[in-house]
Amino acid sequence: MNIDRKWNVGVIGATGMVGQRFLTLLDGHPWFTPVCLAASARSAGKPYEQAVGNKWAMSVPIPAYAKNMTVLDAEADAEKIAQAVDFVFCAVNMKKEEIKALEERYAKLEVPVVSNNSAHRGTADVPMIIPEINPEHLAVIQAQKKRLGTARGFIAVKSNCSLQSYVPLLHPLKAFGIKSAAVCTYQAISGAGKTFETMPEILDNVIPYIGGEEEKSEQEPLKIWGKVKNGAIVNASAPSITAQCLRVPVTDGHTAAVFVSFEKKPKREEILSAWKNFKGEPQDLNLPSAPKQFLHYLEEDNRPQPKLDRTEEKGMAVCAGRLREDSLFDYKFIGCSHNTLRGAAGGAVLLAELLAAKGYFD
């Protein structure tokens, strides 16, 4: 899809790790022009390069456009930001209730909010989108606007970063009737906003607990697979998913060990075919950030590996491997995705592209 107009964009939470990733993805974006960077009051008033200081964690330098942009106060300057932008990305590090209030404030200032935060993922009229899987949930925005009393402002969120490593791989298999699934995720430290320098306790170690992550991993897929009814998203009642989530000494890339049982067990070749042939609206619309092939299956026994496979299709694809029959479940396999690209900022940029293409920013 070729669109000949541009949208002015703000990044709220620009100094954090996901905010930094937003800045790199917006550098030269064909549709979106960043015009406002905002963070906490302690960063406000400083040039971005000074505000982020030694916290810059990306492997590429700070984009030239951002270095001298004055950082605004995400809360105190909300009205000023609202007048300058067509929509905002939000990736702030605040308490859940504070994030909810901040995002609703921007929406009521008639600014669409594309959020990386978890605060509104449980709100019934806020769509939580994986663009290839449930774009039809955008229909609930109309009801949300009615609740908020807005003409243009709304909130749309992306799902938890760990889901990207297994939910896109389970989704095409729903045609075979998934009964139950078990997943164990091995999650990179960038998911906690950390580097090896700032998280020395992870070296030579695995931490078997990530606060709130297992609940999100078990519940959020049911919202993604739910239906819009009477102005709200009603969660699916099945399949049942159980999860364990571990923090591992990897910079970027979440890996998932997945076990799945079916109402009608498919052949291995049917699963591989379902993955190979799966595509969604981002591919049909040829959105700028969409991977050409969303799901990749790797034949080697020792793949996928985050170090080798997390940047497949600029980090926007999901890789799978080691599909085989299981003695307790029907099948088991490994999934892998880039947690700050497909999983966080990249997934939000793709969601924003979908919203733009469908006229939600007009």
Side-chain angles (χ1 to χ4, degrees), residues 20 31 91:
Q20 293 174 27
W31 297 359

Side-chain angles (χ1 to χ4, degrees), residues 10-20 23 35-53 55 69-78 81 88-94 98 102 105-106 117:
V11 178
I12 313 299
T15 56
M17 189 170 282
V18 175
Q20 293 174 27
L23 266 59
V35 296
C36 290
L37 306 180
S40 64
R42 65 179 176 275
S43 296
K46 300 173 184 175
Y48 181 80
E49 187 173 30
Q50 182 186 338
V52 76
K55 293 185 296 182
M69 285 180 73
T70 301
V71 176
L72 301 174
D73 186 321
E75 296 180 276
D77 294 326
I81 294 166
V88 296
F89 291 111
C90 190
V92 293
N93 183 14
M94 299 164 67
E98 293 173 348
L102 183 70
R105 184 177 171 201
Y106 275 92
N117 300 303

